Amino acid sequence: MIHTQASFDLKALQADLPGITQSTDPQQLRLKSRDFYWYSPILDARLKECRADVVLQPRDEAEIVAIAAAAARHQVPLTLRGGGTGNYGQSVPLAGGAVIDMTKLDRVIEVGDGYVRVQAGCRISVIQEAVEQHGQQLMMFPSTQRIATIGGFIAGGLAGIGSIRHGIIQESHFVRSVRVLTVEEEPRIITLAGDEVDAILHAWGTNGILLEFELGLVAAEDWIHCITQFASYEDVLRFGSAVHATPDLDVFQLSAVEGRFAPYYESLGSHFDAARHAMFGVVNRSHLEAFRELAASFGGEITLAMDEDELEHAELPPMHECAFNHTTLQVLKKDRGWTYLQFVMAQPFDPELVTRQMARYGDEVLMHHEFTRVGGAPRVSCLPLVRYSSQERLAELAQEFAADGCLVRNAHAFTLEECGRVADQEQIAMKGVADPLDLLNRGKSATIVGRE
């Protein structure tokens, strides 16, 4: 059930926040109360009528502190929003209240040797440009980096482009420290550092207001964006497994899609031939020939190899826009009759299982796999496109993939329980610190963590 609309005095809240940019315009309320949940027809039906009562756009930290204090005084639900590129309803105000648009807190504060300090509303592409001027780069980023904010990625993300090289966010030490604002009548700023940051990672933004991050950087490399085509999808997957098994081959992305995706990637032209199957990769230039030779041993042919400047000149998309849920987006731009599933393949990964699954489902399912690492070990995730017929059919498909040994995550739900996750006790404790009024209303307690 979606929460009922909260009861509070909107005019009193607005009067309590003089000078802060506010909007109750119906169009703005609609736009700022949405994210990409419409990837799921189930979430679209459940969330499309949810609206904030007011959109607040703070310009600096002092204004966010004022908003947090006023929200606590007036018992107003808060929903934090960055670029709004999440696709599970994280940016949707389930109980009305106020949406805080964080995109004016967008400064790159400092770039140092091996680190960068940024405000939470900064677009990831802006951070990338800033650190590249110092010969460095981010360890990972989402496929939506052009418009996604760093706060949204860290609050809701688990992995991304670069996770095949550095692992998932939590294991990579990508986030070195974070400043968190509590929602109380007298808000506090808490700094978490080192392992303490685990309390806010992949918590869907429920652990207070994330203000600022210190992120780890690595030396910038000369990356080449590649499309490698193969006669069969099983060959694509076997090649991916071989790359996984070659740790001295430096790759930043490895995303497999079958040939039936080609009509949805018209911009790639002859570089992605529908008669063959593709691996979208980002490879260190100095390792490109070794990558080419390994692909050839599986019958693969590189049909595109360009750096980002060359791609831009050729008006071609970077490979990170052919990966993760950007693949879903490419399909939905042309045909809204599709949706997707999300699961992790059983280990050890067996490409023959995927071949059997493709035969089982025919044109109902289009296969797409992502190669990353968890705990230093290879992990293969699957985000297949599914021709949508009913919620019941999606559930049947999920059960069948689970019976194959896959770890299925419900991409069509917005609660932990429905997603198949168990709430992390450390994150619950942080929730009690960052949002004590909410936890008190739920009748729970928490242990204080972090440093003042």
Side-chain angles (χ1 to χ4, degrees):
M1 290 289 291
I2 292 177
H3 298 163
T4 57
Q5 202 77 2
S7 176
F8 67 94
D9 189 333
L10 175 60
K11 291 189 181 299
L13 173 71
Q14 292 179 287
D16 213 2
L17 297 171
I20 294 177
T21 302
Q22 308 177 21
S23 177
T24 56
D25 174 72
Q27 181 67 4
Q28 278 297 302
L29 294 179
R30 177 183 178 275
L31 289 174
K32 298 297 184 179
S33 297
R34 294 171 58 86
D35 59 15
F36 281 36
Y37 63 75
W38 53 267
Y39 282 15
S40 163
I42 298 166
L43 289 181
D44 191 44
R46 297 180 71 181
L47 299 178
K48 64 183 178 182
E49 299 303 325
C50 292
R51 295 286 188 277
D53 296 284
V54 62
V55 175
L56 305 173
Q57 189 175 62
R59 292 163 294 191
D60 55 36
E61 200 167 278
E63 290 193 348
I64 298 181
V65 172
I67 290 170
R73 284 193 297 272
H74 296 280
Q75 294 286 284
V76 179
L78 297 179
T79 301
L80 279 292
R81 178 188 175 83
T85 60
N87 46 288
Y88 307 105
Q90 299 106 309
S91 298
V92 177
L94 300 180
V99 162
I100 305 179
D101 180 347
M102 295 287 286
T103 56
K104 293 299 183 184
L105 276 89
D106 59 355
R107 288 196 303 124
V108 176
I109 301 167
E110 177 187 6
V111 181
D113 185 13
Y115 72 91
V116 61
R117 288 177 51 226
V118 295
Q119 291 182 306
C122 193
R123 279 188 292 117
I124 296 168
S125 58
V126 171
I127 303 171
Q128 193 81 291
E129 291 170 3
V131 303
E132 284 175 353
Q133 295 177 21
H134 297 261
Q136 301 180 89
Q137 66 174 62
L138 293 173
M139 298 171 73
M140 66 190 70
F141 50 84
S143 65
T144 53
Q145 68 150 337
R146 289 182 191 266
I147 56 175
T149 60
I150 191 64
F153 179 47
I154 291 173
L158 176 67
I161 312 300
S163 286
I164 190 171
R165 192 183 198 226
H166 298 289
I168 61 175
I169 293 175
Q170 185 170 352
E171 296 175 351
S172 66
H173 304 295
F174 174 50
V175 185
R176 294 170 39 155
S177 69
V178 58
R179 296 173 71 241
V180 183
L181 179 68
T182 66
V183 181
E184 305 174 89
E185 292 192 26
E186 295 183 6
R188 296 166 294 136
I189 294 177
I190 297 169
T191 299
L192 305 177
D195 291 341
E196 292 174 338
V197 302
D198 290 352
I200 60 92
L201 297 180
H202 199 45
W204 291 280
T206 61
N207 289 338
I209 299 175
L210 308 183
L211 297 174
E212 181 185 312
F213 303 95
E214 182 177 305
L215 307 173
L217 302 176
V218 293
E221 300 288 352
D222 186 3
W223 296 110
I224 301 299
H225 295 240
C226 299
I227 299 176
T228 310
Q229 295 202 92
F230 298 80
S232 76
Y233 192 60
E234 189 171 315
D235 288 333
V236 179
L237 300 180
R238 291 190 184 282
F239 168 63
S241 295
V243 174
H244 258 159
T246 312
D248 57 348
L249 188 59
D250 192 12
V251 298
F252 203 73
Q253 175 194 328
L254 214 57
S255 308
V257 296
E258 59 164 292
R260 287 178 294 176
F261 275 93
Y264 303 105
Y265 280 95
E266 287 182 348
S267 63
L268 295 175
S270 61
H271 300 296
F272 184 14
D273 179 358
R276 294 186 286 177
H277 309 269
M279 182 72 83
F280 300 128
V282 177
V283 185
N284 191 314
R285 185 187 291 273
S286 63
H287 292 212
L288 182 58
E289 285 311 308
F291 185 85
R292 188 190 306 274
E293 290 174 6
L294 184 60
S297 70
F298 291 89
E301 175 192 10
I302 293 180
T303 57
L304 181 145
M306 297 182 182
D307 62 25
E308 286 205 15
D309 289 340
E310 291 169 330
L311 287 172
E312 185 175 0
H313 181 74
E315 298 183 341
L316 293 170
M319 292 303 97
H320 62 256
E321 292 186 359
C322 303
F324 286 90
N325 258 321
H326 239 87
T327 300
T328 310
L329 177 61
Q330 294 299 329
V331 174
L332 291 177
K333 283 179 180 178
K334 295 191 174 185
D335 186 347
R336 293 288 290 270
W338 294 93
T339 187
Y340 73 110
L341 290 173
Q342 184 172 324
F343 51 87
V344 178
M345 301 299 296
Q347 291 293 349
F349 176 54
D350 179 10
E352 290 184 5
L353 171 61
V354 179
T355 299
R356 294 195 298 272
Q357 291 169 338
M358 292 174 69
R360 180 197 303 166
Y361 296 117
D363 291 337
E364 186 180 17
V365 175
L366 307 183
M367 285 299 183
H368 160 212
H369 291 80
E370 294 287 341
F371 291 76
T372 60
R373 294 185 187 275
V374 176
R379 184 178 79 165
V380 181
S381 299
C382 189
L383 290 89
L385 270 289
V386 176
R387 177 61 73 179
Y388 184 70
S389 57
S390 70
Q391 184 171 351
E392 292 73 21
R393 178 55 180 158
L394 275 184
E396 288 176 2
L397 289 170
Q399 290 174 355
E400 291 168 7
F401 282 115
D404 288 337
C406 303
L407 177 61
V408 179
R409 297 299 192 194
N410 187 353
H412 304 276
F414 56 84
T415 67
L416 288 176
E417 294 82 0
E418 289 178 291
C419 290
R421 283 176 55 93
V422 176
D424 183 287
Q425 293 304 307
E426 186 178 12
Q427 293 180 335
I428 290 175
M430 184 61 198
K431 174 70 171 174
V433 176
D435 196 2
L437 290 177
D438 181 72
L439 209 66
L440 181 64
N441 291 337
R442 294 169 188 259
K444 299 180 180 179
S445 61
T447 301
I448 299 295
V449 298
R451 305 192 303 269
E452 296 295 337

